[in-house]
């Protein structure tokens, strides 16, 4: 089902790309490649829907064809409405829970170029990472498979706020901050899930500001 939805969205995005190119006065892909110097095979694969394209390419195409980025990438709004506020799109590195724990070590990970990314709309300024939620310990807020966006720049503790934290073993976990509980980082689950057992000092990786689940 998910693959069918992804294929449908890829094909619809390709149709909008073709429409944008034609409306911009370019007869075919060759004219585009000659004009902008893009890779011919890559562009043709995007127009045919054989390959999908991400935010970086969408921005490039929207600018070249003078269409609205929201419309081209997401199919929302008016293609030629200059007054429509373009969304702010960030490609956030999606890392593993093991890597999240490593962010607190003496020499933390600083190069995320090898990690896959996930697009996020209108995130505020910050130093963001994304993690896929495993298990049911936070299913009141983030069911398994949810993607959470963590601002590593925001480590201020606030009651009932959500955080990714790690202990001295490098084990990272996602929990709600309850300052009057022991430990203060607690599950938020519909099931009877015990709180984590931390080893040594707990370090804040960052505050969770968004949780999304693909339907």
């Amino acid at each position: 089902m998910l693959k069918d939805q992804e294929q449908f969205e890829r094909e619809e995005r390709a149709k909008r790309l073709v429409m944008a190119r034609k409306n911009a006065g370019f007869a075919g892909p060759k004219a585009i490649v000659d004009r902008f110097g893009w890779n011919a095979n890559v562009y043709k694969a995007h127009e045919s829907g054989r390959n999908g394209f991400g935010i970086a390419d969408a921005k490039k195409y929207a600018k070249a064809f003078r269409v609205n980025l929201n419309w081209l990438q997401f199919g929302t709004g008016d293609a030629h409405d200059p007054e429509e506020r373009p969304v702010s799109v960030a490609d956030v590195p999606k890392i593993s829970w093991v890597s999240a724990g490593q962010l607190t070590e003496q020499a933390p990970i600083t190069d995320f170029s090898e990690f896959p990314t996930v697009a996020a709309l209108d995130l505020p300024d910050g130093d963001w990472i994304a993690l896929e939620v495993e298990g049911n310990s936070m299913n009141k807020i983030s069911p398994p498979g949810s993607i959470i966006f963590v601002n590593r720049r925001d480590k201020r503790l606030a009651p009932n706020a959500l955080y990714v934290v790690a202990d001295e073993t490098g084990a990272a976990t996602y929990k709600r901050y309850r300052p009057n509980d022991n430990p203060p980082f607690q599950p938020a689950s519909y099931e009877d899930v015990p709180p984590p057992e931390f080893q040594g000092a707990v370090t804040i990786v960052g505050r969770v500001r968004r949780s999304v689940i693909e339907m």
Side-chain angles (χ1 to χ4, degrees):
M1 182 66 71
L2 181 58
K3 288 186 177 180
D4 291 343
Q5 179 65 26
E6 290 175 350
Q7 181 178 350
F8 173 78
E9 292 178 358
R10 183 173 68 248
E11 292 173 351
E12 291 299 303
R13 191 171 294 129
K15 291 177 184 177
R16 293 193 295 272
L17 180 60
V18 172
M19 186 184 305
R21 186 254 301 161
K22 290 181 177 179
N23 290 341
F26 295 96
K30 185 178 185 303
I32 286 295
V33 171
D34 291 344
R35 172 66 176 81
F36 296 104
W38 297 337
N39 182 291
N41 291 331
V42 171
Y43 182 77
K44 289 177 181 178
H46 289 168
E47 268 211 3
S48 68
R50 187 169 68 253
N51 293 340
F53 58 90
I55 293 300
D57 284 322
K59 287 181 177 179
K60 178 176 69 177
Y61 297 151
K63 182 178 181 181
F65 301 144
R66 298 182 180 180
V67 296
N68 188 274
L69 175 62
N70 294 13
W71 172 81
L72 179 61
Q73 183 71 0
F74 306 107
T76 61
D78 187 332
H80 301 290
D81 182 2
E83 300 302 321
E84 183 179 2
R85 183 180 68 86
V87 294
S88 170
V89 183
D91 288 319
V92 178
K94 182 182 175 184
I95 70 175
S96 69
W97 285 98
V98 171
S99 298
Q102 292 172 347
L103 295 174
T104 65
E105 295 179 348
Q106 292 287 337
I109 299 170
T110 57
D111 182 8
F112 293 101
S113 61
E114 298 301 317
F115 289 91
T117 60
V118 57
L121 306 182
D122 288 331
L123 285 177
D125 289 339
D127 181 6
W128 296 93
I129 59 171
L131 297 135
E132 183 171 344
V133 175
E134 302 173 353
N136 294 320
S137 68
M138 293 295 288
N139 64 13
K140 285 186 177 180
I141 302 164
S142 305
S146 299
I147 303 297
I148 56 173
F149 293 88
V150 185
N151 185 359
R152 297 198 299 149
R153 199 177 295 167
D154 186 355
K155 300 185 179 184
R156 298 166 298 173
L157 291 174
N160 293 313
L162 308 172
Y163 298 88
V164 171
V165 299
D167 65 15
E168 291 182 354
T169 70
T173 187
Y174 164 42
K175 294 293 180 284
R176 181 167 57 183
Y177 179 59
R178 304 294 296 272
N180 295 324
D181 291 345
N182 184 25
F185 296 98
Q186 292 283 324
S189 178
Y190 292 110
E191 302 174 23
D192 186 16
V193 176
E197 296 183 3
F198 295 109
Q199 303 296 317
V202 176
T203 302
I204 310 297
V205 175
R207 184 169 176 177
V208 177
R209 287 293 191 172
R210 182 176 300 175
S211 176
V212 298
I213 182 72
E214 297 290 343
M215 301 302 290

